[in-house]
Amino acid sequence: MKRRMHKSILRSFITVLLILALTLQPSVFVFAAPDNISSPSYILMEASTGQIIYENNADERRSPASITKIMTLLLIFEQLEAGKIKLTDEVTTSAHAKSMGGSQVFLEEGEVQTVDTLIKCIAVASGNDASVAMAEKVSGSETEFVAMMNERAKELGMENTHFTDCCGLTDSDDHYTSAKDVALMSKELITKHPDIYNYTKIWMEDITHVTRKGTSNFTLSSTNKLLKQYEFTTGLKTGSTSKAKYCFSATANHNGIDLIAVVMGAPDFKVRFADAKTLLEYGYSVSHLYKDENKDKLSAMKIENAIEKEVPVAYRGEFRYLDIEGNDLSAVEKKIIMEESAAAPVKKGEKAGEAAYYLNGNKIGSVDIVFGKSIERAEYKDYLHYVLRYMLL
């Protein structure tokens, strides 16, 4: 009798727990920030919004080792996009490129490889020789390419960065960056040039050396062991020297959310992967992304002081908002804020209004609404021509 009563009480207790689990709002559950990260400097960022989810000493200047190559890859992909180089272009290895030590793919002086192959050598095997060969292809010399790297870093707002080479092999105190700056250049690379994933997802692939010594195959093996340790991994770049210790910029995609976890100064290679994985897992446990592609068509705006009566308007782009507090994103409200008319002249692309987004009464962001064409202010002669043309029709 007592046993049956105990079972009945237990079943009732379990039922109550299940009901509570099903009815509690997501915001009730609080995910604790990770406290087991050993790396002294790190950051976790959502790529599409640039929102920082978690960080520690993220602005501290540190030696980056081979994660320097993220900037090298960014410049290469920008050159590809601009049409200044092509994946099929051939690159001849110089004596300087061949002389690079450290991580390399053993290019010989005079050896010819395509841009496509050299990108693989950089992204998969972290080839220092391949990086210098591509720097010379793009700029004529590594020195000129490094100048481009530093200029691009300034444009991206990388305030704690200065490069002295294109591969990170140097131990110079003048070659430094920060976890935040690494995240910024990683963000630019993966959001503007997602084709990088065609390379950073490669685990192992052969290339062919054709030199005066003959033909031989060489196997590129990824330095990114997280590809086998974390199913959502998409990239990006590892690095290590005695000065930098172990660094890593890890990218992952899950449920449509791209995260970037950067760790610098990890004590060993296992810790850098473990810390990055911990950050990514935490990020996905708290992150929920609201996205409005803004595909709806907007009504034209009236235009004054012009022959034309209306001017088309459109959204500048989509809207994204990352929530890490467990809010109900179905409650996001969108408000179109725009005057009834505008006075000519107006220029295509200029702001005409905005779509503002609110959550729980608070504004969480906006997207500009812009003019779809340029319209000049009408003069007396324009009205005269208009009237004459109308009368002759």
Side-chain angles (χ1 to χ4, degrees):
M1 181 70 177
K2 288 183 178 180
R3 182 175 296 177
R4 285 198 299 273
M5 184 179 295
H6 288 158
K7 287 184 177 179
S8 177
I9 293 172
L10 181 60
R11 280 196 297 269
S12 299
F13 179 68
I14 292 173
T15 300
V16 171
L17 287 177
L18 288 172
I19 292 172
L20 286 171
L22 291 171
T23 57
L24 283 172
Q25 295 296 319
S27 58
V28 171
F29 296 100
V30 178
F31 296 93
D35 59 1
N36 59 337
I37 298 177
S38 301
S39 300
S41 177
Y42 53 84
I43 193 169
L44 177 65
M45 176 186 287
E46 195 280 317
S48 67
T49 61
Q51 182 172 332
I52 297 171
I53 301 170
Y54 194 56
E55 64 179 316
N56 182 63
N57 294 329
D59 290 317
E60 183 179 59
R61 293 180 176 181
R62 304 187 68 90
S63 178
S66 282
I67 55 176
T68 296
K69 296 183 178 82
I70 296 170
M71 180 60 80
T72 299
L73 288 166
L74 174 59
L75 293 183
I76 292 170
F77 273 87
E78 288 178 343
Q79 293 287 303
L80 286 167
E81 184 180 47
K84 295 181 179 179
I85 59 173
K86 300 188 297 293
L87 289 175
T88 54
D89 284 352
E90 293 185 335
V91 182
T92 302
T93 305
S94 69
H96 176 54
K98 171 187 162 45
S99 72
M100 293 297 107
S103 178
Q104 55 187 304
V105 294
F106 302 100
L107 298 173
E108 291 291 335
E109 183 181 355
E111 179 178 345
V112 177
Q113 295 286 359
T114 64
V115 169
D116 179 60
T117 297
L118 291 177
I119 292 175
K120 289 178 186 176
C121 293
I122 299 168
V124 179
S126 195
N128 294 322
D129 44 0
S131 297
V132 173
M134 278 306 305
E136 293 173 339
K137 168 67 175 178
V138 170
S139 300
S141 71
E142 183 182 11
T143 300
E144 289 300 315
F145 188 82
V146 171
M148 287 178 62
M149 293 171 70
N150 286 316
E151 183 61 31
R152 195 70 181 95
K154 290 179 182 178
E155 293 171 356
L156 293 174
M158 297 167 61
E159 298 178 351
N160 292 295
T161 295
H162 184 263
F163 299 114
T164 61
D165 71 16
C166 68
C167 57
L169 186 60
T170 180
D171 280 335
S172 169
D173 290 337
D174 289 332
H175 188 90
Y176 56 82
T177 188
S178 67
K180 182 179 179 181
D181 286 358
V182 173
L184 288 174
M185 62 179 176
S186 300
K187 172 183 180 295
E188 187 74 4
L189 178 57
I190 67 172
T191 57
K192 299 292 180 62
H193 309 283
D195 284 352
I196 185 63
Y197 294 139
N198 296 335
Y199 302 92
T200 58
K201 289 183 179 181
I202 295 172
W203 177 247
M204 194 172 288
E205 187 169 316
D206 285 352
I207 64 168
T208 302
H209 288 298
V210 180
T211 68
R212 288 170 294 180
K213 299 177 182 178
T215 301
S216 62
N217 289 334
F218 181 81
T219 300
L220 304 176
S221 297
S222 179
T223 60
N224 182 1
K225 307 311 175 187
L226 209 62
L227 286 169
K228 294 294 185 181
Q229 298 173 9
Y230 188 57
E231 60 181 319
F232 306 121
T233 303
T234 55
L236 186 60
K237 191 71 198 73
T238 62
S240 63
T241 62
S242 57
K243 181 182 179 68
K245 297 185 180 178
Y246 293 86
C247 306
F248 187 26
S249 178
T251 59
N253 177 276
H254 180 46
N255 290 334
I257 300 176
D258 287 294
L259 294 184
I260 302 166
V262 180
V263 296
M264 299 189 73
D268 63 58
F269 74 97
K270 290 183 179 180
V271 168
R272 71 175 168 192
F273 295 126
D275 283 355
K277 183 179 178 182
T278 297
L279 286 168
L280 292 170
E281 289 178 330
Y282 169 69
Y284 286 121
S285 73
V286 299
S287 297
H288 302 277
L289 189 65
Y290 174 86
K291 181 170 71 171
D292 183 358
E293 294 184 350
N294 285 323
K295 297 294 186 181
D296 53 300
K297 189 174 181 180
L298 295 167
S299 299
M301 179 186 284
K302 294 178 181 178
I303 188 79
E304 300 173 357
N305 305 326
I307 298 297
E308 298 182 58
K309 302 301 181 184
E310 294 180 332
V311 57
V313 294
Y315 298 104
R316 194 181 294 279
E318 67 177 17
F319 174 75
R320 287 179 176 237
Y321 171 74
L322 186 75
D323 178 70
I324 58 175
E325 297 177 354
N327 288 298
D328 178 10
L329 295 182
S330 67
V332 173
E333 294 181 286
K334 176 181 177 180
K335 297 180 181 179
I336 303 298
I337 302 171
M338 195 164 56
E339 298 293 337
E340 289 187 3
S341 64
V346 298
K347 290 185 178 181
K348 183 178 179 179
E350 282 187 343
K351 184 175 178 180
E354 69 175 20
Y357 295 82
Y358 295 84
L359 179 61
N360 301 327
N362 299 313
K363 186 176 181 180
I364 58 173
S366 63
V367 170
D368 285 350
I369 294 172
V370 297
F371 294 112
K373 65 182 292 187
S374 297
I375 297 179
E376 296 298 326
R377 181 185 178 91
E379 303 294 340
Y380 174 78
K381 63 179 181 179
D382 298 314
Y383 289 110
L384 181 59
H385 289 160
Y386 175 77
V387 171
L388 290 173
R389 188 165 61 249
Y390 177 78
M391 291 175 67
L392 291 173
L393 289 176

